[in-house]
């Protein structure tokens, strides 16, 4: 009689090859949050034994998931669910100080409950006016303002953050989401547009009102595709650059 791992494989469409069914059940364990970036996956041999497949088949599927970017191998530590390295993506667009100086600091200006505005609600798949947490913060590098950010997090998914002091969140928010809420951000979509600074942004960015600025709207998603964060970042257009390598 097959064990629970093999039974999970046998319960899928038998027309699919074994490696495709194995891939499907492994991805499901990542998407469900059972496996997280904080701890390594079980050893390849243990997984092969659990699912009653050849070790070569297990290695092939895990290798495909590494190539896809769902998993990553850390030398000497094992295989982990991959954390998206999204925070640095914003700063590849802006010239501020020495990029080797590390992550820009985050100064939270306000952190409170608020109704979702229409744009954020649409991106998050929530009704306009739904309950959310709103973070308004300034990013700085070498004490120079880089970005003004407005970040919207749907409730009750992020309710536990409301019980923490804003200083507990740190400069990088995605590790805080994982640490406090068990939410792992896996991917994001960014839309860039150009406009002019309003009075509030101009004051924080130390530019003139109506100076050109770049808006970056980001929707962040978990491994199963659920939208969990929407943010709008604003930076001075004079400091903006776009670079991409085309092969």
């Amino acid at each position: 009689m097959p064990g629970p791992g093999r039974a999970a494989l046998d319960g899928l469409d038998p027309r699919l090859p074994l490696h495709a069914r194995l891939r499907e059940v492994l991805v499901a364990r990542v998407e469900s949050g059972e496996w997280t970036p904080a701890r390594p996956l079980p050893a390849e041999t243990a997984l092969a034994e659990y699912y009653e497949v050849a070790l070569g088949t297990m290695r092939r599927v895990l290798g495909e998931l590494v190539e896809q970017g769902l998993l990553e191998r850390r030398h000497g530590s094992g295989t982990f669910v991959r954390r998206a390295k999204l925070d640095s993506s914003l700063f590849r667009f802006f010239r501020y100080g020495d990029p080797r100086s590390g992550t820009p600091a985050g100064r939270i200006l306000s952190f409170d409950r608020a109704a979702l505005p229409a744009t954020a609600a649409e991106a998050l798949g929530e009704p306009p006016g739904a309950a959310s947490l709103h973070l308004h913060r300034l990013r700085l590098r070498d004490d120079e303002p880089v970005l003004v950010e407005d970040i919207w997090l749907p409730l009750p998914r992020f309710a536990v953050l409301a019980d923490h002091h804003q200083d507990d969140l740190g400069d990088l928010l995605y590790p805080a989401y994982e640490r406090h809420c068990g939410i792992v951000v896996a991917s994001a979509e960014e839309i860039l547009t150009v406009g002019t600074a309003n009075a509030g942004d101009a004051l924080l960015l130390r530019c003139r009102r109506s100076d050109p600025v770049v808006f970056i709207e980001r929707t962040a998603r978990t491994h199963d595709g659920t939208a969990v964060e929407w943010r709008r970042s604003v930076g001075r257009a004079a400091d903006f650059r776009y670079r991409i390598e085309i092969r």
Side-chain angles (χ1 to χ4, degrees):
M1 182 176 179
R6 186 68 192 203
L9 295 178
D10 293 343
L12 299 177
D13 189 340
R15 294 171 297 179
L16 293 173
L18 178 61
H19 77 274
R21 285 180 280 150
L22 180 59
R23 182 183 184 282
E24 188 171 329
V25 297
L26 296 183
V27 169
R29 295 181 75 170
V30 173
E31 292 181 345
S32 70
E34 178 183 353
W35 290 338
T36 73
R39 298 179 61 184
L41 272 62
E44 293 176 347
T45 52
L47 287 171
E49 181 178 345
Y50 178 76
Y51 287 106
E52 300 177 33
V53 299
L55 181 58
T57 301
M58 180 59 66
R59 285 176 174 165
R60 172 188 173 183
V61 173
L62 291 175
E64 290 175 353
L65 296 180
V66 169
E67 290 182 6
Q68 179 188 333
L70 189 67
L71 304 178
E72 64 179 358
R73 290 194 171 104
R74 302 178 193 171
H75 183 68
S77 299
T79 302
F80 292 76
V81 175
R82 180 180 175 273
R83 281 189 178 94
K85 298 175 176 63
L86 297 172
D87 194 80
S88 61
S89 71
L90 285 172
F91 298 99
R92 73 178 183 271
F93 294 123
F94 293 92
R95 298 188 295 269
Y96 284 100
D98 185 349
R100 296 170 298 180
S101 62
T103 301
R107 181 186 301 165
I108 296 179
L109 307 175
S110 64
F111 178 34
D112 48 30
R113 294 174 183 264
L116 274 177
T119 303
E122 181 179 4
L124 294 169
E126 299 281 348
S132 72
L133 290 178
H134 173 226
L135 286 82
H136 184 52
R137 72 173 184 166
L138 182 64
R139 306 300 301 275
L140 304 105
R141 173 172 277 158
D142 302 327
D143 293 323
E144 180 75 10
V146 180
L147 296 171
V148 178
E149 294 185 320
D150 284 283
I151 300 165
W152 302 87
L153 306 170
L155 292 173
R157 183 182 292 268
F158 286 91
V160 69
L161 287 186
D163 299 327
H164 288 269
H165 190 274
Q166 61 189 42
D167 292 342
D168 294 338
L169 300 182
D171 293 330
L172 297 178
L173 294 180
Y174 293 164
Y177 299 166
E178 182 180 337
R179 184 170 61 251
H180 297 302
C181 306
I183 294 172
V184 177
V185 171
S187 63
E189 176 188 58
E190 291 180 347
I191 299 174
L192 280 67
T193 56
V194 177
T196 55
N198 61 31
D201 292 337
L203 179 64
L204 292 170
L205 292 172
R206 302 175 190 170
C207 65
R208 294 174 301 178
R209 185 175 180 178
S210 298
D211 273 0
V213 293
V214 174
F215 300 103
I216 303 175
E217 295 181 354
R218 172 189 287 184
T219 303
R221 302 180 183 277
T222 58
H223 284 289
D224 66 359
T226 301
V228 292
E229 180 211 68
W230 186 83
R231 70 171 67 188
R232 178 178 178 269
S233 305
V234 185
R236 294 190 298 262
D239 299 302
F240 177 84
R241 64 176 178 177
Y242 179 73
R243 178 180 179 181
I244 186 171
E245 183 177 349
I246 301 174
R247 296 180 181 272

